[in-house]
Amino acid sequence: MSTPEELSIQMAHHSAIRSMQRIVQEQAEADPEPVARDGVQSMLDAGKVLVVTGAGVSTDSGIPDYRGPNGSLQRHRPMTYQEFRYRPEARQRYWARGFVGWRHMDKAKPNDIHRRLVQWEREGKISGIITQNVDGLHQQAGSHRVIPVHGDLSIVRCLDCGYSENRQQFDARLQEANVGYLEEVEVDPAAVNPDGDVELPQYLVDKFVMVHCLNCGSVVLKPDVVYFGESVPSERKEQMHALENESTSLLVLGSSLAVMSGYRILLDFVKRGLPVALVTNGHVRGEEKANWRWRVPLDHAMNQLH
């Protein structure tokens, strides 16, 4: 019989699975392009726009999205926090695959959408960015007010003692422990998932050698990102709330808002009676509540805004 703690872990895991499998379907029709474009432009002209970005912002940088027609969820289910924390074989699989996938993620560069957001920040059109992405590309592009709600792949943290390490340094240690490993692997860069994960045969997973925490010797090391089944840190929630309070409208770019951390922001702006605009190539959770819905590829929309 399972203990109460084990039952709690199982429930959290199953809840995480339901969250990642959520399919966002049409709840409202898109607006005619001139109407949507003018609505978004009016928000930018007024300034203090909070921008929420999702995986669709980084697809032109070679990083696939999650829920799009060609998204990674079509071929890959991300690991839940409960799997990662309590199943050593799951951690072994993640780090073997992540070791290979990371060097493809690390090569990704900001695209024109990231650069346009930097320009809008400099011009005072936007108050800041809350991004669901963990690739760090907004910061690389030069945006200053960025809150990565789901964390950052460039940091590795020990779940036992809390010690954190730069991913570049951590990766160098992995390479020292796995000499010749990468030469055995052939990976299509298009198959790398948004979290840096990539499929590997089991014999390579078994062969991979994990390194220890530099502080306490633990092998329970995790990218400093929020997994499905894990809560956003309270300090980050407070930062998001403060940025929301100083913003007068919401612009969602390239996100379905399928997970609650993003959807809650939309609900907050609707509750405050503030304008909401959605620019995506698909459907958005709560889209019927938005003032403007512009359903087009992001690069097409961004080229018409200033």
Side-chain angles (χ1 to χ4, degrees), residues 90-123:
R91 287 196 301 274
Q92 173 77 6
R93 184 172 72 251
Y94 174 82
W95 279 119
R97 289 153 48 150
F99 175 54
V100 176
W102 163 251
R103 56 218 66 261
H104 295 285
M105 289 284 291
D106 197 36
K107 293 177 183 177
K109 302 298 180 186
N111 59 51
D112 288 342
I113 299 171
H114 297 107
R115 287 186 282 271
R116 176 60 64 86
L117 290 170
V118 174
Q119 177 187 335
W120 286 350
E121 181 182 55
R122 290 172 179 166
E123 295 172 347

Side-chain angles (χ1 to χ4, degrees), residues 55-276:
V57 166
S58 293
T59 54
D60 285 351
S61 295
I63 300 174
D65 65 7
Y66 272 113
R67 288 181 168 80
N70 298 312
S72 65
L73 281 179
Q74 303 295 323
R75 62 177 187 272
H76 161 74
R77 176 179 72 73
M79 192 175 295
T80 70
Y81 174 78
Q82 290 71 30
E83 289 173 306
F84 190 96
R85 182 68 178 88
Y86 301 106
R87 292 178 54 194
E89 72 277 10
R91 287 196 301 274
Q92 173 77 6
R93 184 172 72 251
Y94 174 82
W95 279 119
R97 289 153 48 150
F99 175 54
V100 176
W102 163 251
R103 56 218 66 261
H104 295 285
M105 289 284 291
D106 197 36
K107 293 177 183 177
K109 302 298 180 186
N111 59 51
D112 288 342
I113 299 171
H114 297 107
R115 287 186 282 271
R116 176 60 64 86
L117 290 170
V118 174
Q119 177 187 335
W120 286 350
E121 181 182 55
R122 290 172 179 166
E123 295 172 347
K125 296 181 185 298
I126 66 176
S127 57
I129 300 169
I130 294 177
T131 184
Q132 297 175 305
N133 300 337
V134 296
D135 51 39
L137 293 180
H138 284 300
Q139 297 91 323
Q140 287 185 39
S143 290
H144 294 290
R145 300 201 71 186
V146 182
I147 300 175
V149 59
H150 293 151
D152 191 332
L153 274 176
S154 67
I155 300 171
V156 177
R157 190 175 301 279
C158 176
L159 294 183
D160 285 336
C161 74
Y163 179 82
S164 62
E165 182 178 6
N166 179 277
R167 183 66 176 262
Q168 298 283 3
Q169 176 183 325
F170 178 75
D171 185 67
R173 293 203 292 128
L174 287 179
Q175 291 190 55
E176 289 178 6
N178 293 275
V179 175
Y181 189 92
L182 293 171
E183 286 72 17
E184 295 188 47
V185 183
E186 291 186 12
V187 175
D188 177 1
V192 179
N193 299 309
D195 55 3
D197 195 6
V198 64
E199 294 294 331
L200 287 180
Q202 187 61 42
Y203 82 91
L204 283 176
V205 172
D206 296 337
K207 185 177 181 179
F208 177 74
V209 178
M210 183 56 178
V211 297
H212 297 74
C213 172
L214 292 174
N215 183 58
C216 73
S218 170
V219 293
V220 189
L221 306 177
K222 173 179 168 291
D224 195 21
V225 300
V226 177
Y227 278 32
F228 285 96
E230 187 177 10
S231 298
V232 175
S234 57
E235 180 181 353
R236 202 171 300 158
K237 289 180 180 178
E238 293 172 2
Q239 294 172 346
M240 292 166 58
H241 187 63
L243 186 53
E244 286 183 46
N245 282 341
E246 65 177 83
S247 305
T248 56
S249 61
L250 173 65
L251 174 60
V252 178
L253 299 178
S255 173
S256 65
L257 300 184
V259 296
M260 198 62 195
S261 58
Y263 182 50
R264 185 177 288 113
I265 299 172
L266 181 147
L267 294 178
D268 289 344
F269 274 79
V270 170
K271 184 177 180 180
R272 294 166 60 194
L274 298 175
V276 173

Side-chain angles (χ1 to χ4, degrees), residues 29-41 251-253 277-282 284 292-298 300-305:
E29 293 184 359
D31 293 302
E33 181 162 278
V35 173
R37 181 189 60 233
D38 291 349
V40 175
Q41 189 62 59
L251 174 60
V252 178
L253 299 178
L278 313 174
V279 183
T280 69
N281 204 19
V284 181
W292 297 285
R293 292 169 291 275
W294 196 357
R295 208 166 289 148
V296 292
L298 281 184
H300 173 84
M302 298 297 269
N303 286 334
Q304 298 187 54
L305 299 168

